Amino acid sequence: MSATLGTLLKELQPNWRIEVYERLGELAQESSNPWNNAGTGHAGLCELNYMPQAADGSVTADKAVVINEQFQISRQLWAHLVSIGALPEPEKFINSTPHMTFVHGKANVEYLRKRHAVLVTEPLFAGMEFSDNVEKIGTWTPLLTRKRPAGQKIAATRIASGTDVDFGALTRFMFDNLEKQGVNMHMNEQVVGLQHKADGSWNLKLLRQVGQTRSTINARFVFVGAGGGALALLQQSGIPEIQGFGGFPISGQFLRTTNPKLVAQHQAKVYGKAAKGAPPMSVPHLDTRVVDGEKSLLFGPYAGFSPKFLKTSTWFDLPFSIRPHNLGPMLAVARHNFDLMKYLIGEVFASRNAKLKALREFIPAAVSGDWELITAGQRVQVMKKDAKLGGVLQFGTEVITSSDGSIAGLLGASPGASTAAPIMVDLLARCFPDRIEGWKPRIRQMIPSYGTRLSDDPAAAAASLAATAEELHLSN
């Protein structure tokens, strides 16, 4: 998010001075790190949580279309940056990876059939295939069907335009480009306090991790893109807009294999259906990953609980985030999410055999010795006030901005990085309302569909997909 915002601002106001502060010694070591997320280019192509089935059995594409529209904005920005040399060869951060959805059981098969019938009429989902034929699905990815019980009803959808994204590499490439343009990068330097001045600017109190020296810098605008660390900094800022917000941390693990025989038999991101009570980011999926040019397979995530808001932070993050203004909403979330609490407790104590059992729902012939367990990044879900329930747990991202637009921060998780470009473009409008009109022509040069809906114009949707696919070397 921070790299995207910095890139946009430098394109729009090249004379502005930008300073970047990173607590760790390297960039993109938390949620953006490729092994801390699944690398899905979230476009609503395979994720069932964007199209739940209503009580009457109907399904609508509205949310999936919104997510896809947002991802197209990110694709357009990345394509633009590649075209001007601001990003290197696209294969270093994005690769074509078909997106699939896989279900079993009669009711789920019929649901997936309905979902496909709705989506295939949408311009951004053109070309999506559906099959309930075991042999056909086996041609898409043999691992799903080999040694599957005879007679089991299964179905899958597949669309070739899906992607695998190394968000860690993308983040580093964008910051490398910013540094070449004079942006100052401060590693091992932590923002430990914020003070709002009478003139509307902010004093940031800084602590160097090496030597423990302290300093202060003044800024007219501050963006807090600190992942799980954003809540504490926004609370320190004292802006009223953060009141009522809390964070619910969820940890995760993946099973990973680099066995070349297995990797060669699976070229897709395959999403299934979440268990009862499971949060959306815990939907099981079997993914092709491309990191540093090497392919592997990931399965998971297996959710868990840790009070830490970052992998590299402390166990006191959750208790120290509690304030009088967010205690009520947090307690209300606990009351209304018993299924989630039960699910997380079960996941925390799940044995390796239980994890392998979940894997074998996707790969019936999976062998334990081929897979290693790795720890993913922390996800801090948003808890906030709700007039009806007292508090709700929100799955997604939430941008917090002060009333004067001088400070903004991002809370939440998936679809997160996939939709960084539209989220940051929206932030520009909220924080710089007096400049956004003058910026719009330049934004449209970078993001041609800005201000429009591709889904309303099938020809425009097809043209955008083709243009970005060509620039990013993707299947269309």
Side-chain angles (χ1 to χ4, degrees), residues 180-200:
K180 291 175 184 175
Q181 299 178 74
V183 171
N184 296 311
M185 310 293 296
H186 304 267
M187 300 295 105
N188 291 307
E189 195 155 1
Q190 183 176 0
V191 178
V192 294
L194 301 100
Q195 181 184 14
H196 204 189
K197 305 290 287 182
D199 64 359

Side-chain angles (χ1 to χ4, degrees), residues 192-213:
V192 294
L194 301 100
Q195 181 184 14
H196 204 189
K197 305 290 287 182
D199 64 359
S201 67
W202 290 87
N203 275 353
L204 277 64
K205 299 176 182 179
L206 308 169
L207 174 66
R208 285 195 59 79
Q209 301 298 307
V210 180
Q212 298 293 295
T213 56

Side-chain angles (χ1 to χ4, degrees), residues 3 18 63 100 103 149 196 204 236 264 293 340 342 345 386 424 466:
I18 298 175
K63 179 63 174 177
M100 294 178 58
V103 299
H196 204 189
L204 277 64
Q236 285 185 39
L340 174 60
K342 181 179 177 182
I345 292 171
D386 180 79
M424 291 299 99

Side-chain angles (χ1 to χ4, degrees), residues 117-344:
V118 172
L119 283 179
V120 78
T121 64
E122 293 289 340
L124 293 175
F125 296 80
M128 178 180 283
E129 301 176 79
F130 169 89
S131 181
D132 57 4
N133 180 276
V134 175
E135 287 74 22
K136 178 66 173 177
I137 295 170
T139 66
W140 291 342
T141 172
L143 295 183
L144 290 184
T145 57
R146 186 172 298 123
K147 294 189 178 181
R148 186 161 292 280
Q152 185 182 52
K153 291 186 177 296
I154 65 172
T157 58
R158 180 182 185 272
I159 186 165
S161 60
T163 56
D164 175 79
V165 186
D166 182 341
F167 290 109
L170 178 59
T171 299
R172 290 191 297 273
F173 291 143
M174 285 196 286
F175 275 130
D176 286 346
N177 182 61
L178 286 172
E179 198 166 15
K180 291 175 184 175
Q181 299 178 74
V183 171
N184 296 311
M185 310 293 296
H186 304 267
M187 300 295 105
N188 291 307
E189 195 155 1
Q190 183 176 0
V191 178
V192 294
L194 301 100
Q195 181 184 14
H196 204 189
K197 305 290 287 182
D199 64 359
S201 67
W202 290 87
N203 275 353
L204 277 64
K205 299 176 182 179
L206 308 169
L207 174 66
R208 285 195 59 79
Q209 301 298 307
V210 180
Q212 298 293 295
T213 56
R214 295 178 180 270
S215 60
T216 301
I217 188 172
N218 182 263
R220 303 296 304 180
F221 171 73
V222 177
F223 176 68
V224 184
L231 177 62
L233 288 170
L234 289 169
Q235 287 177 333
Q236 285 185 39
S237 74
I239 60 172
E241 289 80 7
I242 196 62
Q243 293 199 5
F245 282 89
F248 186 88
I250 297 175
S251 60
Q253 294 178 315
F254 285 100
L255 285 171
R256 178 176 66 186
T257 182
T258 55
N259 184 328
K261 291 183 179 180
L262 293 176
V263 173
Q265 296 177 69
H266 186 82
Q267 176 61 28
K269 289 184 174 291
V270 183
Y271 275 58
K273 197 170 186 181
K276 183 179 179 182
M281 88 292 294
S282 294
V283 171
H285 45 96
L286 177 65
D287 295 319
T288 295
R289 291 298 337 260
V290 183
V291 178
D292 296 329
E294 298 293 325
K295 286 188 177 182
S296 60
L297 301 183
L298 280 188
F299 177 78
Y302 301 99
F305 176 79
S306 164
K308 296 169 69 172
F309 283 2
L310 295 165
K311 286 182 75 172
T312 57
S313 59
T314 79
W315 295 88
F316 298 104
D317 288 344
L318 178 58
F320 283 2
S321 74
I322 298 172
R323 302 286 192 277
H325 60 72
N326 65 17
L327 180 58
M330 293 174 75
L331 292 174
V333 166
R335 287 197 305 272
H336 297 299
N337 288 274
F338 178 75
D339 282 347
L340 174 60
M341 306 303 173
K342 181 179 177 182
Y343 167 80
L344 290 177

Side-chain angles (χ1 to χ4, degrees), residues 81-113:
L81 294 173
V82 169
S83 73
I84 64 172
L87 288 176
E89 301 84 1
E91 291 86 356
K92 292 185 175 180
F93 66 89
I94 188 169
N95 287 273
S96 283
T97 308
H99 282 195
M100 294 178 58
T101 306
F102 174 74
V103 299
H104 54 79
K106 183 178 179 180
N108 288 333
V109 168
E110 291 310 306
Y111 157 65
L112 191 62
R113 194 190 309 273

